[in-house]
Amino acid sequence: MLYNNKGDKLTSFPWFHKTTIYQIYPRSFHDSNGDGIGDLPGILQKLDYIQSLGFETLWISPFFASPQADFGYDISDYTSIAPEYGTVQDALALIEEVHRRGMKIVLDMVMNHTSIEHAWFQESRSSRDNPKADWYLWRDQPNNWMSVTGGSGWHYAKERGQYFWASFLPFQPDLNYHNPKVKQAMLDVVRFWLDRGVDGFRLDIFNYIFKDAGFRDNPFSFKLLPSEDDSSSFFQQAKYTVNQPESFEFAREFRAVCDEYGEKLSIGEVSGGSQTIRRFLGGEENDGLTLVFDFGMMNFKFTANYFRNLIREMELQYRSPFMPVYVFSNHDKRRSMSNLGGDVRKARLLHTLQLTVRGVPCMYYGEELGMTDARLPFKTALDPIPHKYKYIPRFVFDTLRLAINRDEVRTPMQWDGERNAGFSMANQTWLPVHNDYKRVNVEEEQQDAQSLLNTIRSLLKIRGQERALEEGDLILLDELPENVLGYTRGIEEERVIILLNFEDHEKRFPTDATGVVFNLTGASRLNGKMVTLAGYGAMIMK
Ligand code: GLC
């Protein structure tokens, strides 16, 4: 039995380990006031839709006051709302309405850095001896540390004649968490929102929070580009800039604050390979963050073997009482449909897997429609990152399959085939609508029983009905035909079998199953003890 730190009993299977998450990028979801930018009342108007799909938890990317230089990931005031998104009243109304529907809401906490316009930074920068002088990381001379986005992360401020450190972009100065007052101030912000009833937080670049207190130089590395399992890049190991022991400890402190309010979800954006990032969940006591993203899977290969190995790894690193997260897209990375070459049959199979494995599925808005990345020129990008790389030819990034221009994965949600895809009544939307919107949109797909949207809806429904899918263990099946993946999910006497065919031709083989719960393509069959899986077919059986 689990207890929170007040000594209250928690249910042995917390809600945040069996939930399903839908990520909303507020700027692009729904515009209620015709300014071309999505907003909080817009999300409120679309709750019916999200609920009808069957998702339980909304994670909303930041909507706090911000100069929007990194579209909300540069916060200038953590307890007020950016005017284009609404007001604190709108946020409270959204929290209330989500709860009235029995759903949950998770905010995006950017704790590593603030905006350069935050009052804390303004004060810190003003002199070397003001009360907030050491709230950020200041040095007389830079050391060799490189920022995540390339180039030195040290930036000169003439007011102090010193350099401040920014892990990400120059307008996002890192806070100094070695100063207890900073930690306190940020945990007060966390409490502010917990007091207002939110159900948890997604934690932006959580593994960057602490940097080496002695500012030791990072060692050399042969790596040019970061990967999901190793942040080393630009020819240096990120030894003193990420995954510091104090960050693992801070995960525990963060959890303790959340626990004061009951069962709250905390999901960390971290990187560094499963073994390292698993440490953010705490030791065997399971007293750190409640979930972490393990982004290696964003670069999935569409083969049964790839997913068998992935599941094996997840089961090893996140065995009970931990829980893996299955995520294939977000607002920074390529959309999964683009990784699948736009093939809807493959997308339906991928999401069947995502919604039936042991783990919390996290789906980025528009994934349920099969939205793909737009192709937009770097020169006119709103995202600041491509501007750093505008002299490198586009094909280099395409070959590396990197979404350098994140505008391409943030285009407005496609609601219907009308003007601006039903996203906004404005003459111009903040980013252009993807040109496939006449074909790929909610209204079209609602009417097609075989659409990706309706597939996901059915799967979420089944997941809600079958306890084995929500809470059960997972056992991989062996001796299946080439490119077929199979596993069972079980709890007590209840057991379901999931079979997925990653190839475009039929596969016939024996099975123990006796009945079909879900048939992805309709063309697969169970005949006595033999199952026939259609090309890219999948079945959930008992
Ligand atoms: C995270 C966010 C990304 C943002 C960056 C800096 O990676 O997901 O969108 O730009 O942190 O906050």
Side-chain angles (χ1 to χ4, degrees):
M1 188 57 75
L2 298 170
Y3 294 85
N4 66 15
N5 65 359
K6 285 181 181 160
D8 306 328
K9 253 188 219 170
L10 300 175
T11 56
S12 55
F13 209 94
W15 70 267
F16 47 68
H17 278 176
K18 54 183 174 185
T19 196
T20 51
I21 306 178
Y22 186 81
Q23 182 196 351
I24 293 180
Y25 194 70
R27 218 173 177 77
S28 296
F29 198 59
H30 185 55
D31 169 16
S32 72
N33 62 354
D35 63 358
I37 297 173
D39 46 48
L40 297 182
I43 297 175
L44 192 99
Q45 289 169 12
K46 295 295 183 184
L47 287 181
D48 273 349
Y49 167 72
I50 302 166
Q51 192 168 26
S52 82
L53 285 179
F55 286 98
E56 184 194 13
T57 298
L58 306 186
W59 148 32
I60 309 181
S61 284
F63 47 77
F64 311 103
S66 162
Q68 308 291 347
D70 189 19
F71 297 108
Y73 286 93
D74 50 328
I75 298 173
S76 53
D77 181 356
Y78 289 82
T79 55
S80 53
I81 309 297
E84 63 255 66
Y85 294 145
T87 60
V88 171
Q89 280 321 310
D90 291 325
L92 298 181
L94 184 60
I95 295 169
E96 195 184 325
E97 183 55 24
V98 165
H99 287 161
R100 200 186 61 74
R101 291 162 182 263
M103 295 165 73
K104 310 273 187 193
I105 180 164
V106 165
L107 305 190
D108 207 321
M109 274 301 293
V110 187
M111 298 197 284
N112 176 68
H113 48 266
T114 66
S115 156
I116 211 156
E117 290 185 20
H118 195 292
W120 298 342
F121 186 74
Q122 299 283 316
E123 186 175 347
S124 188
R125 180 169 64 184
S126 65
S127 68
R128 292 190 188 201
D129 56 5
N130 67 75
K132 297 208 169 45
D134 58 352
W135 276 45
Y136 293 79
L137 299 168
W138 292 99
R139 297 256 299 170
D140 292 338
Q141 288 302 324
N143 62 7
N144 80 342
W145 295 353
M146 303 288 269
S147 78
V148 185
T149 56
S152 169
W154 291 102
H155 308 283
Y156 189 68
K158 57 179 182 325
E159 297 86 338
R160 288 176 60 137
Q162 282 183 313
Y163 296 80
F164 65 88
W165 170 251
S167 292
F168 209 71
L169 289 159
F171 51 79
Q172 290 161 314
D174 283 31
L175 284 158
N176 174 16
Y177 278 87
H178 292 291
N179 179 342
K181 286 188 185 143
V182 169
K183 206 192 276 183
Q184 207 42 56
M186 198 50 94
L187 291 176
D188 284 348
V189 170
V190 169
R191 286 199 173 88
F192 174 91
W193 287 108
L194 286 168
D195 283 333
R196 278 151 191 79
V198 302
D199 301 292
F201 303 93
R202 177 262 186 189
L203 302 166
D204 193 66
I205 56 172
F206 194 80
N207 55 332
Y208 282 81
I209 292 228
F210 278 90
K211 270 63 61 173
D212 180 49
F215 295 101
R216 280 172 284 185
D217 274 349
N218 274 334
F220 175 80
S221 151
F222 283 102
K223 272 180 86 214
L224 171 61
L225 293 174
S227 47
E228 300 304 347
D229 56 358
D230 181 3
S231 310
S232 303
S233 56
F234 306 110
F235 301 111
Q236 73 174 221
Q237 265 178 54
K239 183 168 177 187
Y240 296 117
T241 37
V242 295
N243 295 333
Q244 301 299 293
E246 297 95 326
S247 296
F248 301 129
E249 201 36 54
F250 186 51
R252 289 200 168 91
E253 285 178 56
F254 188 87
R255 170 70 174 270
V257 170
C258 288
D259 282 355
E260 289 168 19
Y261 292 79
E263 280 187 1
K264 299 291 173 181
L265 181 152
S266 48
I267 183 167
E269 186 198 22
V270 285
S271 60
S274 302
Q275 277 187 38
T276 306
I277 65 182
R278 160 70 177 72
R279 297 179 64 187
F280 285 104
L281 301 174
E284 287 310 311
E285 309 79 42
N286 184 17
D287 56 356
L289 305 182
T290 67
L291 295 165
V292 288
F293 290 114
D294 199 326
F295 287 134
M297 67 182 82
M298 293 259 190
N299 304 317
F300 64 85
K301 290 193 178 55
F302 190 75
T303 64
N305 234 347
Y306 172 86
F307 285 107
R308 188 173 297 118
N309 290 335
L310 173 69
I311 292 171
R312 202 171 275 141
E313 169 76 8
M314 293 295 111
E315 287 300 296
L316 191 71
Q317 298 301 341
Y318 306 98
R319 66 186 184 283
S320 176
F322 304 101
M323 184 62 77
V325 175
Y326 281 80
V327 60
F328 299 117
S329 303
N330 66 23
H331 63 291
D332 296 324
K333 304 280 162 68
R334 301 187 66 204
R335 284 185 175 273
S336 61
M337 191 54 147
S338 293
N339 271 352
L340 293 170
D343 191 331
V344 180
R345 298 171 309 162
K346 291 183 179 176
R348 294 170 73 220
L349 196 73
L350 178 76
H351 293 302
T352 306
L353 176 134
Q354 188 184 24
L355 298 173
T356 56
V357 277
R358 190 185 77 89
V360 170
C362 181
M363 213 178 280
Y364 183 45
Y365 82 94
E367 288 298 292
E368 74 277 21
L369 304 175
M371 277 176 66
T372 49
D373 304 345
R375 205 171 165 82
L376 303 168
F378 282 18
K379 268 203 303 233
T380 50
L382 301 180
D383 180 13
I385 293 186
H387 292 280
K388 288 187 88 158
Y389 295 100
K390 60 181 174 231
Y391 300 111
I392 301 179
R394 168 90 206 217
F395 75 87
V396 176
F397 300 107
D398 289 348
T399 316
L400 295 168
R401 300 161 72 88
L402 286 176
I404 279 284
N405 181 2
R406 297 174 299 170
D407 291 355
E408 297 183 344
V409 304
R410 298 172 177 177
T411 57
M413 174 70 175
Q414 294 164 201
W415 295 103
D416 57 39
E418 305 295 316
R419 171 186 167 148
N420 296 329
F423 160 70
S424 165
M425 291 307 288
N427 288 332
Q428 205 181 354
T429 54
W430 82 283
L431 281 177
V433 171
H434 195 295
N435 56 20
D436 67 6
Y437 79 98
K438 291 252 181 230
R439 185 175 48 84
V440 179
N441 65 60
V442 174
E443 201 177 74
E444 265 316 287
E445 293 197 28
Q446 302 264 36
Q447 290 158 25
D448 172 3
Q450 295 297 309
S451 66
L452 183 55
L453 178 104
N454 279 323
T455 303
I456 287 167
R457 180 176 279 149
S458 308
L459 285 162
L460 281 166
K461 191 157 174 216
I462 293 168
R463 195 185 156 99
Q465 286 162 351
E466 298 287 341
R467 226 176 116 220
L469 288 178
E470 254 188 3
E471 298 185 31
D473 59 18
L474 182 147
I475 300 169
L476 280 165
L477 298 176
D478 294 323
E479 292 171 34
L480 293 170
E482 180 83 15
N483 238 343
V484 170
L485 174 65
Y487 44 87
T488 64
R489 301 286 317 279
I491 187 160
E492 291 159 6
E493 297 308 300
E494 297 168 37
R495 202 136 212 112
V496 291
I497 303 175
I498 297 101
L499 295 171
L500 306 129
N501 180 5
F502 282 79
E503 262 178 36
D504 196 8
H505 37 259
E506 222 175 71
K507 300 284 167 82
R508 193 160 177 270
F509 52 98
T511 175
D512 291 338
T514 51
V516 178
V517 178
F518 173 80
N519 188 343
L520 180 62
T521 64
S524 307
R525 297 177 303 280
L526 178 67
N527 265 335
K529 289 267 148 215
M530 291 302 280
V531 60
T532 308
L533 279 187
Y536 299 134
M539 295 223 272
I540 304 176
M541 298 185 289
K542 286 209 169 158

